[in-house]
Amino acid sequence: SGITTQAKFLRSMSKLNSTCTMPMMRDMLTQKSNVDFSKGWKNPNPIEFMQVAGATYERGSLHMFAADLEIRRHTKGARGLTDVIRYLMDEYWRKGKGYGEDELPSIFSKVAGADMEGFFKAHINGKALVDLEVFLKPFGLTLKATSDSASRFEEVADATPEQISLRESI
């Protein structure tokens, strides 16, 4: 859509990853699952509100980035998270119907052409933060620490043509 460049997007994701993996933030974000946090929006006290906001925006963004990478890996870059959104629009919104939380893993799996149940079990319904190193490896990318205790994505020197092609799909 031209909103940002790949480089700027990856830079923002690496900064977000650095924030979410700081010990204090990691401890807070792994106390509850995304689903548990979303249920906390009902009459939250100020501390719960901050936890919900942190989980919803920081962790949610990282997890959806990882889900996008996983879909792209399974489809060799042909589809991604935007295709999940398109599917939801076509199959639910346009037809005036809703879907349940328990349907999302199968919807993601359908778009990915592969089983995404494990991803949802660990990262959406579970308490685990995504390990971006694992999700980036098929794209020939790695996380490198920077001098300011943050991290940045770097291309691996010996990336295969398949990894480069996948990376270009981001």
Side-chain angles (χ1 to χ4, degrees), residues 97-123:
K97 62 181 187 176
Y99 57 89
E101 286 177 5
D102 58 331
E103 293 178 76
L104 283 175
S106 63
I107 292 168
F108 273 67
S109 296
K110 185 173 189 164
V111 172
D115 187 4
M116 297 281 292
E117 295 278 341
F119 179 88
F120 272 78
K121 184 177 181 182
H123 304 295

Side-chain angles (χ1 to χ4, degrees), residues 3-72:
I3 293 172
T4 190
T5 66
Q6 182 192 57
K8 286 179 184 176
F9 174 75
L10 290 175
R11 212 170 15 258
S12 69
M13 286 291 105
S14 72
K15 287 179 183 178
L16 186 58
N17 184 68
S18 295
T19 299
C20 288
T21 56
M22 292 185 321
M24 183 183 269
M25 184 70 136
R26 177 182 276 285
D27 290 347
M28 182 191 74
L29 293 178
T30 57
Q31 288 176 12
K32 296 179 180 180
S33 71
N34 282 327
V35 173
D36 292 335
F37 272 115
S38 70
K39 292 176 182 173
W41 279 110
K42 298 174 185 166
N43 302 317
N45 67 41
I47 292 172
E48 287 172 336
F49 177 80
M50 292 307 295
Q51 289 176 331
V52 169
T56 301
Y57 296 105
E58 277 87 5
R59 182 170 68 175
S61 295
L62 276 183
H63 285 190
M64 288 303 98
F65 176 50
D68 182 65
L69 293 173
E70 191 70 352
I71 293 167
R72 289 177 189 282

Side-chain angles (χ1 to χ4, degrees), residues 17 62-74 116 118-120 122-123 128-143 153 163 166 170:
N17 184 68
L62 276 183
H63 285 190
M64 288 303 98
F65 176 50
D68 182 65
L69 293 173
E70 191 70 352
I71 293 167
R72 289 177 189 282
R73 181 179 70 86
H74 286 298
M116 297 281 292
F119 179 88
F120 272 78
H123 304 295
L129 283 176
V130 295
D131 179 353
L132 280 186
E133 277 290 342
V134 171
F135 291 94
L136 292 167
K137 189 173 183 173
F139 294 80
L141 293 169
T142 188
L143 280 168
F153 296 126
Q163 288 174 314
L166 270 177
I170 299 175

